[in-house]
């Protein structure tokens, strides 16, 4: 028996008798659990999952046991993967965003503090003092970075590239990616890059002085010092992980949830092999929302600096992202049924006034069906799927994402065993993203069993 066996068992029984969502507070159910434990804060990422949720569903023996495989097909920055590793599960992640894959990989792989400190000394020693390095392929580089900042970033990057151990190099690339965003001219309060300008707020506005001070700081920033601070904090995080996690095997991080393949080569799919069917015991995931977070745009400066793809190829990643908002007019000339009657009714009505928004949402549901079908393929019979999602508003219409995802799951042969609702207190999800979507404040946690 583990810490949460009884509590989970009671909730499942209560749900079986009332058949209505139960209200819970995960922070109270797992008191004292720190969101920043171990390497969780190694790099920021949009819409991160509340750590308490995967912890609660992993710290029990009802859904999975140590040694079982746990998958997060939309792993983002690897919250589920790290909690899984800490509780001795084998983990597999997938994310279309190369920055998410890098963070996840680094976050869960323990590295020796001593080795990191040695290598950091050599990075600092090897930083060249050149101004002739080729600039990275970042869209509008001069718009996002002061020239002296670009020059220093280039020198640091050049030195990191020389490291021959790929795991150590990846660790420093995560630190570098954090640093690049921090010393950019993008507003640090927002996830999507929006450039700060002096005097952009009227006199007397509470952000005026703060913004101007931030810009003044960037004009004379020592980027190497900023990088050193980030590295120091991340080495301390890694040293905590190293003490509790001795599993040094390379994690499996796939890219597309619609076709789970080992090997993270996104542009050369032929090199990859499918994750075997019936191999996973438990899936825990918080999938993207329709038109909600722009994951690739949010991390476009990082993707460019790390050279994951040319600026012109960013579109390829965006096109594979579920919930994306950019479509060409030809793509939404006709309405394509999602097969979910309640959703089709709303979306056909919406099509008359906003065909693009209607298409964004119907295509979101169609692609989520593909992803959940793939999840079902790799799950063992009687394995579990935990979905964390929420209702949102699409152009004034209530859009019941959890209900539609439940319909999809049931069509695929899953049965709902538990449904919980928690209020989201994290600011990441509470930001209103555009005028057609809404603030998400209540999270639905649905536990399904595969037939
Ligand atoms: C809500 S976030 C997950 C956040 C994550 N739980 C964490 O704590 O960081 C959803 C993720 O789905 C990813 N995504 C979108 N489309 C995808 C696809 N086709 N395959 C895999 N991941 C995808 C996005 O890049 C994003 O990282």
């Amino acid at each position: 028996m583990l810490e949460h066996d009884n509590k989970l068992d009671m909730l499942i029984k209560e749900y079986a008798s009332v058949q209505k969502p139960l209200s819970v507070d995960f922070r109270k159910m797992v008191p004292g659990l720190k969101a920043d434990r171990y390497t969780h804060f190694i790099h920021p990422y949009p819409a991160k999952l509340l750590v308490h949720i995967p912890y609660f569903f992993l710290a029990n023996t009802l859904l999975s046991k140590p040694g079982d495989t746990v998958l997060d097909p939309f792993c983002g920055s690897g919250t589920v993967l790290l909690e899984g590793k800490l509780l001795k599960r084998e983990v597999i992640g997938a994310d279309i965003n190369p920055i998410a894959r890098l963070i996840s990989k680094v976050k869960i792989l323990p590295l020796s503090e001593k080795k990191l400190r040695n290598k950091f000394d050599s990075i600092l020693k090897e930083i060249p003092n050149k101004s002739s390095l080729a600039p990275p392929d970042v869209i509008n580089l001069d718009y996002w970075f002061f020239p002296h900042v670009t020059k220093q970033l280039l020198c640091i990057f050049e030195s990191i590239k020389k490291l021959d151990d790929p795991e150590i190099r990846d660790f420093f690339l995560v630190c570098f990616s954090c640093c690049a965003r921090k010393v950019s001219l993008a507003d640090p309060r927002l996830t999507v890059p929006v450039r700060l300008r002096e005097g952009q707020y009227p006199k007397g506005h509470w952000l005026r002085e703060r913004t101007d001070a931030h810009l003044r700081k960037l004009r004379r920033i020592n980027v190497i010092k900023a990088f050193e601070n980030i590295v120091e904090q991340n080495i301390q995080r890694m040293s905590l992980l190293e003490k509790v996690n001795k599993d040094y095997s390379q994690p499996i991080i796939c890219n597309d949830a619609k076709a789970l393949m080992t090997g993270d080569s996104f542009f050369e799919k032929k090199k990859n092999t499918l994750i075997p069917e019936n191999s996973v015991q438990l899936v825990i995931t918080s999938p993207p929302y329709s038109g909600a977070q722009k994951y690739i745009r949010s991390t476009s400066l990082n993707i460019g600096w790390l050279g994951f793809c040319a600026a012109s190829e960013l579109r390829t990643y965006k096109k594979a992202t579920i919930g994306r908002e950019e479509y060409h007019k030809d793509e939404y000339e006709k309405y394509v049924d999602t097969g979910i009657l309640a959703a089709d009714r709303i979306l056909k009505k919406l099509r008359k006034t906003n065909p693009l928004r209607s298409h964004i949402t119907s295509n979101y549901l169609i692609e989520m069906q593909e992803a959940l079908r793939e999840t079902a393929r790799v799950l063992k019979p009687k394995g579990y799927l935990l979905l964390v999602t929420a209702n949102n508003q699409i152009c004034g219409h209530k859009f019941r994402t959890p209900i539609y995802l439940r319909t999809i799951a049931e069509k695929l042969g899953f049965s709902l065993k538990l449904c919980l609702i928690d209020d989201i207190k994290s600011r990441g999800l509470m930001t209103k993203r555009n005028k057609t979507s809404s603030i998400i404040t209540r999270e639905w946690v649905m536990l399904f069993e595969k037939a």
Side-chain angles (χ1 to χ4, degrees):
M1 288 280 276
L2 261 182
E3 201 182 336
H4 294 298
D5 280 19
N6 280 341
K7 180 76 186 159
L8 180 59
D9 189 43
M10 270 162 48
L11 286 170
I12 292 176
K13 286 187 178 132
E14 189 181 342
Y15 181 74
S17 86
V18 298
Q19 290 291 317
K20 276 195 189 135
L22 309 173
S23 242
V24 293
D25 183 340
F26 278 102
R27 287 173 183 78
K28 287 197 180 137
M29 277 156 63
V30 190
L33 193 79
K34 291 223 167 88
D36 62 350
R37 69 203 212 110
Y38 303 105
T39 41
H40 276 303
F41 280 15
I42 205 163
H43 192 293
Y45 196 74
K48 279 168 81 167
L49 182 60
L50 179 72
V51 175
H52 303 62
I53 299 178
Y55 181 86
F56 179 76
F57 290 97
L58 285 161
N60 68 75
T61 53
L62 301 184
L63 309 181
S64 69
K65 298 190 172 48
D68 283 344
T69 300
V70 173
L71 161 74
D72 182 351
F74 299 102
C75 67
S77 61
T79 309
V80 171
L81 308 185
L82 178 57
E83 288 305 319
K85 270 273 169 227
L86 292 169
L87 288 155
K88 311 273 179 273
R89 295 340 187 234
E90 296 299 324
V91 294
I92 302 179
D95 206 286
I96 213 70
N97 185 338
I99 291 290
R101 292 200 295 275
L102 175 72
I103 305 169
S104 293
K105 229 193 291 179
V106 170
K107 187 178 270 185
I108 61 179
L109 190 67
L111 294 172
S112 134
E113 176 179 354
K114 200 168 149 213
K115 208 164 169 186
L116 287 174
R117 291 200 184 281
N118 275 340
K119 292 292 170 185
F120 187 41
D121 285 347
S122 67
I123 291 177
L124 292 175
K125 268 193 220 125
E126 294 279 320
I127 289 180
N129 193 9
K130 287 197 257 179
S131 52
S132 56
L133 297 166
D137 196 357
V138 172
I139 307 175
N140 298 331
L141 184 68
D142 297 340
Y143 179 78
W144 294 112
F145 296 89
F146 285 136
H148 69 102
V149 169
T150 298
K151 202 174 134 199
Q152 293 180 73
L153 281 173
L154 271 171
C155 293
I156 300 172
F157 189 51
E158 192 65 13
S159 183
I160 297 175
K161 278 197 298 189
K162 287 192 191 139
L163 294 172
D164 45 14
D165 180 333
E167 291 161 6
I168 300 275
R169 192 173 54 231
D170 281 351
F171 171 85
F172 287 106
L173 286 177
V174 163
C175 302
F176 177 78
S177 169
C178 271
C179 179
R181 177 65 194 250
K182 220 172 176 153
V183 298
S184 77
L185 289 160
D187 189 336
R189 296 178 317 119
L190 305 173
T191 50
V192 169
V194 175
R195 195 188 191 278
L196 291 173
R197 279 174 293 108
E198 245 150 65
Q200 79 184 83
Y201 294 101
K203 275 193 181 135
H205 191 287
W206 68 281
L207 279 172
R208 167 99 178 199
E209 187 40 41
R210 226 204 240 189
T211 305
D212 290 357
H214 185 68
L215 287 167
R216 276 197 300 277
K217 191 174 126 199
L218 287 178
R219 280 189 198 288
R220 50 188 160 69
I221 195 160
N222 179 338
V223 182
I224 297 175
K225 258 267 110 11
F227 178 64
E228 277 186 65
N229 289 340
I230 293 169
V231 169
E232 181 53 40
Q233 286 173 10
N234 281 347
I235 289 185
Q236 282 176 24
R237 294 181 171 117
M238 195 46 96
S239 78
L240 295 175
L241 181 69
E242 197 203 352
K243 289 192 180 95
V244 292
N245 181 11
K246 304 283 179 205
D247 179 355
Y248 299 99
S249 54
Q250 269 291 333
I252 300 174
I253 313 283
C254 320
N255 50 63
D256 193 347
K258 302 195 284 321
L260 294 165
M261 297 191 218
T262 56
D264 67 5
S265 164
F266 179 71
F267 291 100
E268 293 174 84
K269 292 214 164 60
K270 269 185 236 142
K271 285 192 180 166
N272 302 335
T273 50
L274 276 176
I275 300 285
E277 56 188 58
N278 303 336
S279 58
V280 169
Q281 169 60 28
L282 170 63
V283 173
I284 300 184
T285 196
S286 56
Y289 296 94
S290 172
Q293 289 282 351
K294 299 163 182 69
Y295 296 98
I296 298 295
R297 226 179 99 199
S298 299
T299 48
S300 55
L301 301 180
N302 314 62
I303 294 177
W305 264 105
L306 296 195
F308 279 124
C309 71
S312 58
E313 285 170 336
L314 275 177
R315 202 176 306 142
T316 317
Y317 283 124
K318 283 187 188 161
K319 272 192 105 151
T321 302
I322 298 179
R324 67 191 169 280
E325 294 191 292
E326 290 165 25
Y327 288 93
H328 192 266
K329 227 172 168 179
D330 305 348
E331 293 177 273
Y332 55 95
E333 265 173 1
K334 267 204 247 130
Y335 182 77
V336 184
D337 272 327
T338 66
I340 305 161
L341 294 181
D344 282 330
R345 234 186 346 259
I346 296 173
L347 295 176
K348 279 181 180 158
K349 208 156 124 198
L350 175 60
R351 195 175 157 73
K352 293 182 190 142
T353 52
N354 195 335
L356 172 61
R357 199 50 50 193
S358 163
H359 179 75
I360 290 169
T361 316
S362 63
N363 204 42
Y364 163 78
L365 288 174
I366 289 167
E367 293 190 351
M368 277 306 296
Q369 295 187 49
E370 281 178 52
L372 290 178
R373 188 173 304 117
E374 178 65 349
T375 297
R377 181 184 72 76
V378 299
L379 253 185
K380 290 180 177 172
K382 300 287 169 204
Y384 292 96
L385 161 66
L386 189 91
L387 279 183
V388 183
T389 176
N391 287 320
N392 50 343
Q393 290 261 337
I394 311 280
C395 301
H397 297 270
K398 184 164 188 179
F399 195 75
R400 300 167 70 94
T401 309
I403 303 291
Y404 308 141
L405 296 187
R406 174 181 175 175
T407 308
I408 297 173
E410 286 175 344
K411 278 189 189 178
L412 290 167
F414 286 99
S415 53
L416 186 63
K417 294 288 164 200
L418 178 63
C419 180
L420 304 173
I421 294 184
D422 189 7
D423 288 329
I424 304 178
K425 291 175 193 87
S426 128
R427 284 186 53 79
L429 273 176
M430 287 186 64
T431 326
K432 192 168 177 170
R433 282 150 310 248
N434 61 44
K435 52 185 184 300
T436 49
S437 66
S438 67
I439 292 171
I440 293 164
T441 54
R442 303 184 84 205
E443 224 155 13
W444 287 55
V445 178
M446 297 185 290
L447 177 69
F448 298 92
E449 188 181 36
K450 186 178 158 178

